[in-house]
Amino acid sequence: MHAYRTHTCADLSAANVGDTVRLSGWVHRVRDHGGILFIDLRDHYGITQVLCDPDSPVFAQVEKVRSEWCIRIDGVVKARDASLVNPKLPTGEIEVFVRDIETLGAADELPLIVFGDQEYPEETRLRYRYLDLRREVMQKNMTLRSDVVASMRRRMWDRGFREYQTPIITASSPEGARDFLVPSRLHPGKFYALPQAPQQFKQLIMVSGFDKYFQIAPCFRDEDPRADRSPTDFYQLDLEMSFVTQQDVFDTIQPVIGGVFEEFGNGRKVDQTWEQISYKDAALWYGTDKPDLRNPIKMQIVSDHFAGSGFAIFAKLLEQDGTQIRAIPAPGGGSRKFCDRMNAFAQKEGLPGMGYIFWRDKGDVLRGELGDLLTAKIKAEKKKDESLVAKISSEADAKAVELDRLEQEANLTAVRPVEAAGPLAKNIGHERTEAIRQQLGLGVGDAAFFLGGKPKQFESVAGRARTAIGEELGLTDKDRFAFAWIVDFPIYEKDAESGKIDFEHNPFSMPQGGMEALLGDPLEVLGFQYDLACNGYELVSGAIRNHRPEIMFKAFEIAGYGEEEVRKRFGGMVNAFRFGAPPHGGCAAGIDRIVMLLADEANIREVIMFPMNQRAEDVMMGAPSEPTPDQLMELRLRSIPQD
């Protein structure tokens, strides 16, 4: 018999009844049922119930075991009574009667409980991550991650790619974040850097003639943490191809990413058509370049309806250059209560509020008003106030006549009369509110919210409001993965204060139109750069690369970087491009984020085996730590204490 096990804790079934077996694992929980001890024994694969009674030669030893002890047991497989079968467990038809036991690793009092769904502070979970990882949900998440990576590798090989490794210790090369620097012992005063991405190396692989490259690549960036981003390191599916267009890259990566989501999406719908949306339109429609298309709401510009209107705040705002008013449609949000909730949301976002209009059935409004008048009439009659009764009766008769007219019109046209309500509606009047309603395609029971100013100043808040509206009204389809390529990114932007032109996005992207495009207005230059968004997250980023030295030098010159500085920063790549560089492009897909979506987790740390905390600390291993004086001496470094 094997030293530790003949079967895993998921293997045994009714076919094994009568067999003598050996199992090893952790004590998931212990139950004492009137002198009979039941233990749920757990390993990576599953759970088997084992039991022991006073007739067992090791009963006294079994009585001593506690949760999370690691033990080995020998025993005989027995069938459970039909009434005691557990259909939720693959091993639920059997149990093992313990004949022998060995403690492989006793456990102290636990700082967190593995059994059950108790919530613990993140610091506790990360400090004792090895215990946290024993929990069922974490076992599933890490297994999912491993399976996703394996699937990606198979799919890339099937598409004719080979995996090549690039250096982990290299030169500092700005990729949009801070480097992690590594001091050199052999070259005092000089530093290596951990690569933010294999960007330059994978381009050099193309120059070397390998045509198709991929790698499950570790990347290192000293960034501020977020729920969907690690503050230190992450992994990406990195790929590059030669002699390709932007569409070729899309056609290559879409079946890989889409296939992974179909394989591991747990039955959720995976969109087969992936829209291509310009960066400009994404900002307008969704307020973000990583839109969640499960939410059908599209924002629109409605400036014309407020210019010169009675709503002075927006009318005056539109007199300034570069300002807009945008509407966020809210189908089904046509109640004052909902509008007040969204106003409260805006105030939490630091705004004074959001203007709104909601539309209701005019007949319903009249019926409500008529009901109020009749109630008031009854009260006046009780007080015997004849003049007030007459006045109310006159108003009620007029309302009844109007209601009758509306009903007749509705019967003839089959269209219910609509009335706009809310502070904005009163200020801008029926004609403008009706034009807004028609433009947005809204009707009775719907609403719209409005934000104004220079788009870059309010787009992100508008995007978050769109998300909140979709969630509140149940418009967002939770059982779906919706993908979109965001394309046509601007290469340059102008600083509002200094007027200086600088790169807004990847400086290594080939400008659309090549050198000719760089001779015109820099703010009009678009790059062959693209991101893939899914359910509100950026999953993939890439570009067709600028492989022509003369175009690269010109692109950097526009942003104020001379040829000498470009050669100094990116000399290895620039020199290589002098020797017959092929047109090439590629992308990188964030593995951690993909697994986070597939696992239906909101925090990326739930799918990373040993993540850092919010302060970029490894509280389990004690990193970062202070170097010893000998280490600093050897590297010829000095640590300057903080004030």
Side-chain angles (χ1 to χ4, degrees), residues 61 73 92 183 187 219 231 266 271 278 293 335 355 465 472 510 527 621:
Q61 290 175 257
I73 66 102
H187 304 280
C219 303
N266 218 13
D271 284 5
S278 73
L293 298 190
S335 73
E472 283 256 357
M510 178 64 81
M621 302 298 287

Side-chain angles (χ1 to χ4, degrees), residues 363-412:
D364 288 342
V365 174
L366 284 173
R367 277 186 284 273
E369 291 174 349
L370 187 56
D372 292 341
L373 287 169
L374 293 176
T375 301
K377 181 181 176 183
I378 291 170
K379 290 180 179 178
E381 287 173 341
K382 285 182 178 179
K383 292 180 180 179
K384 298 183 178 180
D385 188 338
E386 293 183 5
S387 63
L388 182 57
V389 169
K391 180 181 178 185
I392 293 173
S393 296
S394 175
E395 290 181 21
D397 289 343
K399 294 284 183 188
V401 169
E402 187 179 359
L403 179 59
D404 185 56
R405 180 182 60 78
L406 285 176
E407 292 291 350
Q408 289 181 30
E409 286 181 5
N411 290 334
L412 288 172

Side-chain angles (χ1 to χ4, degrees), residues 7-276:
H7 301 79
T8 74
C9 291
D11 285 344
L12 299 176
S13 67
N16 298 105
V17 170
D19 293 351
T20 297
V21 298
R22 176 170 287 177
L23 303 176
S24 290
W26 286 268
V27 176
H28 195 55
R29 60 174 177 162
V30 182
R31 305 185 304 283
D32 187 343
H33 287 194
I36 300 177
L37 300 175
F38 290 87
I39 294 175
D40 290 337
L41 190 65
R42 182 195 76 242
D43 64 9
H44 175 67
Y45 306 98
I47 290 177
T48 297
Q49 178 173 284
V50 304
L51 73 154
C52 187
D53 64 21
D55 291 338
S56 171
V58 291
F59 183 77
Q61 290 175 257
V62 174
E63 281 188 304
K64 295 177 183 178
V65 302
R66 296 291 180 267
S67 292
E68 295 309 306
W69 281 32
C70 186
I71 63 173
R72 171 193 63 78
I73 66 102
D74 293 348
V76 178
V77 181
K78 295 187 175 185
R80 296 196 198 188
D81 290 336
S83 62
L84 299 177
V85 168
N86 184 349
K88 296 180 181 178
L89 288 179
T91 59
E93 293 181 299
I94 59 92
E95 55 195 5
V96 179
F97 186 81
V98 179
R99 294 293 186 188
D100 190 26
I101 185 170
E102 179 186 0
T103 299
L104 303 175
D108 292 342
E109 185 176 347
L110 298 172
L112 59 85
I113 303 300
V114 174
F115 170 73
D117 297 319
Q118 295 92 333
E119 290 291 329
Y120 291 93
E122 187 178 72
E123 291 293 295
T124 301
R125 292 181 59 202
L126 295 183
R127 187 176 298 279
Y128 300 99
R129 187 63 162 182
Y130 38 83
L131 293 179
D132 189 46
L133 288 170
R134 291 183 189 176
R135 295 188 302 119
E136 182 181 11
V137 65
M138 299 304 293
Q139 291 273 314
K140 286 182 177 178
N141 283 357
M142 299 310 152
T143 299
L144 171 64
R145 182 189 177 100
S146 178
D147 291 345
V148 166
V149 170
S151 178
M152 285 178 171
R153 278 197 162 101
R154 285 193 300 270
R155 293 172 189 278
M156 293 303 295
W157 279 98
D158 289 346
R159 300 191 71 80
F161 285 75
R162 285 190 170 89
E163 185 166 11
Y164 302 103
Q165 284 70 46
T166 53
I168 297 299
I169 297 290
T170 182
S172 179
S173 174
E175 296 282 351
R178 299 180 188 87
D179 285 324
F180 281 106
L181 297 178
V182 180
S184 169
R185 177 181 60 84
L186 298 177
H187 304 280
K190 294 186 176 181
F191 293 80
Y192 304 104
L194 302 181
Q196 294 187 32
Q199 183 65 50
Q200 292 192 66
F201 286 108
K202 70 176 181 178
Q203 291 190 243
L204 291 171
I205 288 172
M206 296 301 101
V207 178
S208 303
F210 284 91
D211 201 70
K212 288 183 178 180
Y213 141 95
F214 90 96
Q215 181 183 186
I216 304 298
C219 303
F220 306 89
R221 297 183 185 179
D222 186 0
E223 295 190 296
D224 295 329
R226 292 192 318 223
D228 66 335
R229 182 174 69 191
S230 169
T232 53
D233 57 293
F234 59 94
Y235 280 81
Q236 63 188 31
L237 168 61
D238 200 56
L239 66 94
E240 198 77 6
M241 311 158 65
S242 289
F243 307 109
V244 291
T245 64
Q246 178 172 283
Q247 190 60 47
D248 292 326
V249 178
F250 294 173
D251 293 343
T252 296
I253 194 64
Q254 178 166 337
V256 176
I257 301 298
V260 165
F261 274 85
E262 287 172 355
E263 184 178 355
F264 300 103
N266 218 13
R268 283 170 283 182
K269 181 185 174 185
V270 178
D271 284 5
Q272 299 303 304
T273 301
W274 296 10
E275 288 186 62
Q276 294 184 25

